[in-house]
Protein backbone atom coordinates (compact mmCIF):
# COMPACT_ATOMS: atom_id res chain seq x y z
CA UNK A 1 0.00 0.00 0.00
CA UNK A 2 1.32 3.43 -0.95
CA UNK A 3 0.92 5.95 1.85
CA UNK A 4 -0.36 9.42 1.00
CA UNK A 5 1.37 12.43 2.53
CA UNK A 6 -1.52 14.83 3.06
CA UNK A 7 0.71 17.82 3.76
CA UNK A 8 3.50 18.38 1.19
CA UNK A 9 5.53 20.29 3.78
CA UNK A 10 7.51 17.70 5.72
CA UNK A 11 7.88 20.21 8.56
CA UNK A 12 4.21 19.64 9.37
CA UNK A 13 5.18 16.15 10.52
CA UNK A 14 7.64 17.42 13.13
CA UNK A 15 5.43 20.23 14.45
CA UNK A 16 3.94 20.38 17.93
CA UNK A 17 0.27 20.96 18.56
CA UNK A 18 -2.16 20.75 21.48
CA UNK A 19 -2.18 16.95 21.44
CA UNK A 20 1.34 16.23 20.16
CA UNK A 21 2.85 18.57 22.75
CA UNK A 22 6.46 17.55 22.29
CA UNK A 23 7.83 20.70 23.95
CA UNK A 24 6.24 19.70 27.26
CA UNK A 25 8.90 19.05 29.95
CA UNK A 26 7.75 15.45 30.49
CA UNK A 27 8.00 14.66 26.79
CA UNK A 28 11.43 16.29 26.64
CA UNK A 29 12.66 14.41 29.72
CA UNK A 30 11.34 11.07 28.48
CA UNK A 31 12.93 11.67 25.10
CA UNK A 32 16.25 12.57 26.71
CA UNK A 33 16.25 9.40 28.82
CA UNK A 34 15.52 7.24 25.79
CA UNK A 35 18.12 9.03 23.66
CA UNK A 36 20.79 8.53 26.33
CA UNK A 37 20.49 4.79 25.89
CA UNK A 38 20.69 4.91 22.10
CA UNK A 39 22.48 7.80 20.43
CA UNK A 40 21.25 7.56 16.85
CA UNK A 41 17.90 8.10 15.15
CA UNK A 42 17.32 4.47 14.23
CA UNK A 43 17.90 2.94 17.65
CA UNK A 44 16.09 5.86 19.31
CA UNK A 45 13.00 5.32 17.16
CA UNK A 46 12.91 1.65 18.13
CA UNK A 47 13.47 2.45 21.81
CA UNK A 48 10.66 5.02 21.77
CA UNK A 49 8.35 2.54 20.08
CA UNK A 50 9.17 -0.20 22.60
CA UNK A 51 8.66 2.23 25.49
CA UNK A 52 5.19 3.34 24.37
CA UNK A 53 4.15 -0.18 23.41
CA UNK A 54 5.33 -1.85 26.63
CA UNK A 55 5.54 0.76 29.41
CA UNK A 56 2.17 2.41 28.76
CA UNK A 57 -0.62 -0.17 29.02
CA UNK A 58 -3.54 0.05 26.63
CA UNK A 59 -6.40 1.09 28.89
CA UNK A 60 -8.73 -1.60 27.53
CA UNK A 61 -6.18 -4.26 28.49
CA UNK A 62 -5.47 -2.83 31.94
CA UNK A 63 -9.07 -1.87 32.76
CA UNK A 64 -8.08 1.76 33.37
CA UNK A 65 -11.11 4.00 32.87
CA UNK A 66 -9.14 7.22 32.47
CA UNK A 67 -9.03 8.83 29.03
CA UNK A 68 -5.88 10.62 27.89
CA UNK A 69 -5.33 12.55 24.69
CA UNK A 70 -2.29 14.81 25.13
CA UNK A 71 1.09 13.12 24.74
CA UNK A 72 2.24 14.56 28.07
CA UNK A 73 -0.83 13.16 29.84
CA UNK A 74 -0.32 9.73 28.29
CA UNK A 75 3.24 9.73 29.63
CA UNK A 76 2.21 11.11 33.03
CA UNK A 77 -0.66 8.71 33.67
CA UNK A 78 0.82 5.74 31.75
CA UNK A 79 -2.47 4.87 30.10
CA UNK A 80 -4.32 5.41 26.84
CA UNK A 81 -6.12 3.76 23.96
CA UNK A 82 -4.43 3.29 20.59
CA UNK A 83 -5.13 6.90 19.50
CA UNK A 84 -3.52 8.33 22.61
CA UNK A 85 -0.54 5.99 22.52
CA UNK A 86 0.07 6.89 18.88
CA UNK A 87 -0.01 10.57 19.81
CA UNK A 88 2.53 9.94 22.57
CA UNK A 89 4.87 8.07 20.24
CA UNK A 90 4.53 10.79 17.61
CA UNK A 91 5.53 13.38 20.22
CA UNK A 92 8.62 11.43 21.30
CA UNK A 93 9.74 10.96 17.71
CA UNK A 94 8.99 14.52 16.61
CA UNK A 95 10.88 15.88 19.59
CA UNK A 96 14.01 14.45 17.93
CA UNK A 97 13.07 15.95 14.58
CA UNK A 98 11.89 12.65 13.11
CA UNK A 99 8.93 13.13 10.74
CA UNK A 100 6.01 11.20 12.18
CA UNK A 101 2.41 10.93 10.97
CA UNK A 102 -0.75 9.56 12.51
CA UNK A 103 -2.49 6.94 10.40
CA UNK A 104 -5.42 4.59 10.80
CA UNK A 105 -7.10 1.30 9.96
CA UNK A 106 -10.77 0.38 9.76
CA UNK A 107 -11.18 -2.90 11.63
CA UNK A 108 -14.07 -5.16 12.58
CA UNK A 109 -14.70 -6.05 16.21
CA UNK A 110 -14.50 -9.81 16.71
CA UNK A 111 -17.55 -9.67 18.98
CA UNK A 112 -19.65 -8.43 16.08
CA UNK A 113 -20.30 -5.03 17.63
CA UNK A 114 -19.31 -3.25 14.43
CA UNK A 115 -16.38 -1.48 12.80
CA UNK A 116 -13.79 0.51 14.71
CA UNK A 117 -10.96 2.83 13.70
CA UNK A 118 -7.54 1.81 14.99
CA UNK A 119 -4.65 4.28 15.36
CA UNK A 120 -1.03 3.83 14.24
CA UNK A 121 1.94 6.01 13.40
CA UNK A 122 4.19 6.17 10.39
CA UNK A 123 7.71 7.57 10.51
CA UNK A 124 10.35 8.53 7.99
CA UNK A 125 13.88 8.14 9.24
CA UNK A 126 16.93 9.99 7.85
CA UNK A 127 18.16 8.62 4.54
CA UNK A 128 14.84 6.94 3.78
CA UNK A 129 12.22 8.16 1.33
CA UNK A 130 9.47 5.76 2.40
CA UNK A 131 7.28 5.98 5.46
CA UNK A 132 7.15 2.94 7.75
CA UNK A 133 4.00 2.23 9.77
CA UNK A 134 4.32 1.13 13.39
CA UNK A 135 1.68 0.01 15.88
CA UNK A 136 2.41 0.98 19.53
CA UNK A 137 -0.96 -0.30 20.80
CA UNK A 138 0.58 -2.82 23.18
CA UNK A 139 0.80 -6.57 22.78
CA UNK A 140 -1.59 -9.08 24.32
CA UNK A 141 -2.40 -12.74 23.68
CA UNK A 142 -2.62 -13.08 19.91
CA UNK A 143 -1.06 -9.66 19.25
CA UNK A 144 2.63 -9.30 18.40
CA UNK A 145 3.38 -5.84 17.01
CA UNK A 146 7.07 -5.07 16.55
CA UNK A 147 9.21 -2.19 15.30
CA UNK A 148 10.21 -2.76 11.69
CA UNK A 149 11.35 -0.54 8.82
CA UNK A 150 10.94 -3.24 6.19
CA UNK A 151 8.18 -5.78 6.69
CA UNK A 152 5.22 -4.36 8.62
CA UNK A 153 4.65 -5.99 12.02
CA UNK A 154 1.31 -4.50 13.04
CA UNK A 155 -1.02 -5.77 15.73
CA UNK A 156 -3.90 -6.13 13.29
CA UNK A 157 -3.19 -7.03 9.66
CA UNK A 158 -6.41 -6.11 7.86
CA UNK A 159 -8.88 -8.76 6.72
CA UNK A 160 -10.43 -7.42 3.50
CA UNK A 161 -13.06 -10.18 3.39
CA UNK A 162 -14.50 -8.67 6.59
CA UNK A 163 -14.52 -5.16 5.15
CA UNK A 164 -11.37 -4.08 6.94
CA UNK A 165 -9.02 -1.61 5.27
CA UNK A 166 -5.87 0.42 5.75
CA UNK A 167 -6.37 4.16 5.39
CA UNK A 168 -3.40 5.38 3.31
CA UNK A 169 -3.51 9.00 4.50
CA UNK A 170 -0.67 10.34 6.64
CA UNK A 171 -2.14 12.91 9.04
CA UNK A 172 0.05 15.64 10.48
CA UNK A 173 -2.56 16.21 13.21
CA UNK A 174 -5.19 13.96 14.73
CA UNK A 175 -8.37 13.90 12.60
CA UNK A 176 -11.30 15.76 14.14
CA UNK A 177 -13.43 12.64 14.85
CA UNK A 178 -10.54 11.06 16.75
CA UNK A 179 -9.58 14.11 18.78
CA UNK A 180 -13.18 15.09 19.51
CA UNK A 181 -13.96 11.63 20.90
CA UNK A 182 -10.91 11.70 23.16
CA UNK A 183 -11.57 15.20 24.44
CA UNK A 184 -15.30 14.76 25.08
CA UNK A 185 -15.20 11.37 26.80
CA UNK A 186 -15.67 11.42 30.56
CA UNK A 187 -14.26 7.91 30.91
CA UNK A 188 -13.38 4.92 28.73
CA UNK A 189 -16.93 3.55 28.87
CA UNK A 190 -18.22 6.84 27.52
CA UNK A 191 -15.37 6.96 25.02
CA UNK A 192 -16.43 3.66 23.49
CA UNK A 193 -19.75 5.25 22.51
CA UNK A 194 -17.95 8.20 20.90
CA UNK A 195 -15.29 6.36 18.90
CA UNK A 196 -15.53 6.84 15.14
CA UNK A 197 -16.62 3.77 13.21
CA UNK A 198 -14.98 5.09 10.06
CA UNK A 199 -12.84 7.90 8.71
CA UNK A 200 -14.36 7.56 5.26
CA UNK A 201 -15.53 10.88 3.94
CA UNK A 202 -19.23 11.32 4.62
CA UNK A 203 -19.43 8.34 6.95
CA UNK A 204 -21.40 8.60 10.13
CA UNK A 205 -19.48 8.83 13.38
CA UNK A 206 -20.85 6.91 16.35
Amino acid sequence: MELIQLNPDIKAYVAADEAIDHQHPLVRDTSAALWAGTGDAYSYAEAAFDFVRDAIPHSADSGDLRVTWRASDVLAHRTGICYAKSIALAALLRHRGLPTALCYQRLTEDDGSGPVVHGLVALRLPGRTRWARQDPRGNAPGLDARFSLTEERLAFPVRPHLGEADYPELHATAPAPVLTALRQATDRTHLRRLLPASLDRGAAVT
Side-chain angles (χ1 to χ4, degrees):
M1 181 189 67
E2 184 173 352
L3 298 172
I4 301 171
Q5 189 173 314
L6 291 179
N7 194 319
D9 185 358
I10 196 67
K11 292 180 181 178
Y13 296 95
V14 295
D17 60 30
E18 192 175 9
I20 307 175
D21 56 344
H22 65 66
Q23 295 305 319
H24 189 281
L26 183 54
V27 179
R28 295 201 310 264
D29 291 348
T30 305
S31 173
L34 292 168
W35 181 262
T38 56
D40 66 81
Y42 295 84
S43 55
Y44 172 80
E46 183 171 10
F49 169 85
D50 288 346
F51 173 79
V52 174
R53 183 194 62 186
D54 298 338
I56 302 173
H58 189 288
S59 56
D61 294 343
S62 66
D64 197 322
L65 292 178
R66 294 174 297 174
V67 177
T68 53
W69 60 273
R70 286 190 182 92
S72 56
D73 289 337
V74 176
L75 296 177
H77 299 297
R78 296 293 180 96
T79 190
I81 67 165
C82 60
Y83 302 157
K85 294 186 65 171
S86 295
I87 287 169
L89 179 55
L92 290 172
L93 295 172
R94 289 187 185 189
H95 181 70
R96 292 288 158 185
L98 302 177
T100 308
L102 301 174
C103 49
Y104 300 88
Q105 299 172 302
R106 186 180 68 245
L107 303 176
T108 300
E109 293 279 23
D110 289 336
D111 62 6
S113 59
V116 64
V117 175
H118 177 58
L120 316 165
V121 305
L123 75 156
R124 205 175 85 180
L125 289 176
R128 292 178 176 265
T129 58
R130 297 181 64 86
W131 294 82
R133 293 193 304 169
Q134 315 294 333
D135 189 345
R137 179 213 179 274
N139 289 334
L143 303 180
D144 187 28
R146 296 180 181 271
F147 184 85
S148 176
L149 299 178
T150 53
E151 178 185 8
E152 288 191 334
R153 298 292 302 273
L154 306 180
F156 303 106
V158 298
R159 301 168 293 183
H161 66 285
L162 295 179
E164 298 181 345
D166 291 308
Y167 289 106
E169 294 85 3
L170 297 170
H171 297 265
T173 60
V178 168
L179 195 56
T180 298
L182 291 173
R183 295 184 65 173
Q184 290 184 352
T186 55
D187 59 26
R188 188 167 47 81
T189 302
H190 184 211
L191 175 62
R192 186 167 180 82
R193 300 197 300 269
L194 299 177
L195 292 176
S198 172
L199 293 181
D200 297 325
R201 184 171 298 178
V205 176
T206 57

